[in-house]
Amino acid sequence: MLDPIIAFFQRVFAAIGRGIGMVVAWFLWPFLAAHGWYRDRSWIIKGPILGVLVLLVIVYGQFIYRTQIWHGFDPAFVQTYKFEERTVPAGSPLPGEANRCQDSAVVMISAALTDQNVNQNSWVSSTLLYKLGMFGLDWDNTPFMDNKASFQRGVNQVVRRTAIQLADNLGRVRGTSGINNDLQNARGNIQFDESTWYFGTDPFGFKTPTPSYYRAAVESWNRFNTSLATCEAVFDTRSDNLLQLLDGMASDLGNTSDILRRRSEEFNAGWFDTRADDRFWFSYGQLYAQYALLQATRADFSGVIRERNLTAIWAEMDRQLQAALRIQPAIISNGREDGWIMPTHLATMGFYILRVRSNMVEIQSILDR
């Protein structure tokens, strides 16, 4: 009775085995043919070819290392700065210390985030192999090698927005002082194009690569904080400046939420959506940077937060950010919201982004009264 069934499955599995064997043979045939050709050549031909192959292995090995190893990645890294121990807002004289003022936590974290992007790690978007893509296809259009680049760009967008606020509002007394040169230079450098390598569209035109500009921004922020610590610079912690800083962050989150929504609604390929990963990690980078900067902002504007009774709602916003940053799936899936096999990480991230943004908007409404 069972013999026909067993024979049927044996034939099925034999056919599957032959099919797999044919696919493997088809895949390996070019390599076997190349090996046979290479074996029969003299070392005058073998030597240069071997040298090129070794060079490619080294170069692509370095590229894989740069894109897959994340140095200094820690969503809670801001806790090591112990901003909660600060007793006065940024720019205020330190009690009991002559000619010493509190430096800015926001400036410090802006420099730290950028340092993590370009000094602790390689800035992936401007490396040659990332710009060349995978056989001419942009890495962002593949599920490979682009997560770290997207994360870095998300962090950088938040820092760019903060740099504008620092130069235009926070680092000056509005209406009575000029823009601080260090903050102005940092703003200009951090706005530089994210993907410039040594050569641009003109192959003969030598260029300064992107990381050099971002490193210059870090140096400018550090100089400003040094000046602020000696009371030679100003940091204006008025409530309207805090309002504008939060407004910029909320605007970025609203835009990212819309990007996630459209991707989630228009594409439901689950684990096979090749753009879901860079959308996810860009938004994760934004939240990563905003969480650190909001911790710094709470320290710099401690007086305003205390006077406006914002401590409770600020703590709730921190909890929402921490919950979002705990989402770190190995493979990003953009499944249907009512699906039961493939999860929907984009919709989940979008949910947390809207929760954080709603907290920001509530804080803004209190500050605007």
Side-chain angles (χ1 to χ4, degrees), residues 44-346:
I44 296 177
I45 297 176
K46 285 182 178 180
I49 293 176
L50 181 61
V52 170
L53 290 176
V54 171
L55 179 62
L56 285 175
V57 169
I58 293 174
V59 170
Y60 273 93
Q62 184 185 51
F63 175 65
I64 293 171
Y65 175 82
R66 287 177 172 178
T67 57
Q68 301 306 305
I69 303 301
W70 299 35
H71 296 286
F73 174 79
D74 178 11
F77 83 94
V78 68
Q79 305 300 334
T80 62
Y81 289 86
K82 298 182 179 179
F83 290 140
E84 68 278 2
E85 297 180 2
R86 297 193 173 199
T87 58
V88 296
S92 300
L94 290 173
E97 298 188 40
N99 298 321
R100 297 292 299 176
C101 294
Q102 182 64 68
D103 60 1
S104 167
V106 169
V107 172
M108 187 181 298
I109 292 301
S110 297
L113 288 167
T114 307
D115 177 78
Q116 186 181 112
N117 267 347
V118 298
N119 291 327
Q120 298 179 41
N121 294 273
S122 295
W123 178 257
V124 176
S125 297
S126 65
T127 58
L128 177 61
L129 292 183
Y130 194 84
K131 291 171 68 65
L132 289 176
M134 186 177 70
F135 301 107
L137 182 65
D138 194 325
W139 285 111
D140 288 338
N141 294 324
T142 76
F144 315 108
M145 307 298 178
D146 61 343
N147 290 352
K148 187 175 178 180
S150 299
F151 170 81
Q152 289 178 321
R153 291 194 291 260
V155 170
N156 197 51
Q157 185 188 49
V158 174
V159 175
R160 280 177 166 176
R161 173 80 74 169
T162 305
I164 295 172
Q165 293 296 326
L166 285 169
D168 288 347
N169 300 317
L170 300 176
R172 58 188 297 208
V173 179
R174 191 176 304 172
T176 61
S177 67
I179 296 178
N180 181 275
N181 287 334
D182 289 323
L183 294 180
Q184 177 81 325
N185 291 336
R187 176 177 64 176
N189 285 321
I190 203 66
Q191 302 299 325
F192 190 73
D193 176 71
E194 294 180 326
S195 59
T196 297
W197 191 58
Y198 290 95
F199 298 95
T201 55
D202 177 9
F204 302 103
F206 186 82
K207 297 182 180 297
T208 302
T210 296
S212 296
Y213 286 90
Y214 295 171
R215 292 186 186 108
V218 172
E219 294 173 1
S220 295
W221 281 320
N222 289 336
R223 280 196 299 271
F224 171 82
N225 246 356
T226 299
S227 298
L228 185 60
T230 56
C231 306
E232 297 173 3
V234 296
F235 193 92
D236 193 359
T237 56
R238 294 205 313 261
S239 61
D240 58 334
N241 282 341
L242 176 58
L243 176 64
Q244 289 195 34
L245 182 63
L246 293 176
D247 182 64
M249 290 186 179
S251 177
D252 283 343
L253 290 182
N255 182 59
T256 301
S257 174
D258 184 61
I259 291 173
L260 293 177
R261 178 193 61 79
R262 284 188 281 110
R263 190 73 192 181
S264 181
E265 290 178 354
E266 297 170 7
F267 299 88
N268 297 123
W271 290 306
F272 304 101
D273 184 353
T274 59
R275 296 304 303 270
D277 56 343
D278 54 278
R279 297 288 197 276
F280 177 90
W281 284 108
F282 179 85
S283 61
Y284 192 99
Q286 278 191 317
L287 294 178
Y288 181 96
Q290 286 199 3
Y291 175 65
L293 282 167
L294 286 169
Q295 294 286 313
T297 300
R298 182 166 60 179
D300 282 354
F301 288 87
S302 57
V304 173
I305 292 171
R306 184 171 53 253
E307 292 167 6
R308 295 299 187 96
N309 296 319
L310 295 173
T311 303
I313 187 172
W314 202 286
E316 176 60 25
M317 181 170 60
D318 285 346
R319 283 192 290 271
Q320 296 298 331
L321 281 162
Q322 290 169 353
L325 293 174
R326 283 195 290 269
I327 306 172
Q328 299 178 32
I331 302 176
I332 308 303
S333 173
N334 181 23
R336 293 175 57 87
E337 293 184 10
D338 58 352
W340 60 279
I341 295 178
M342 298 183 185
T344 172
H345 295 128
L346 297 191

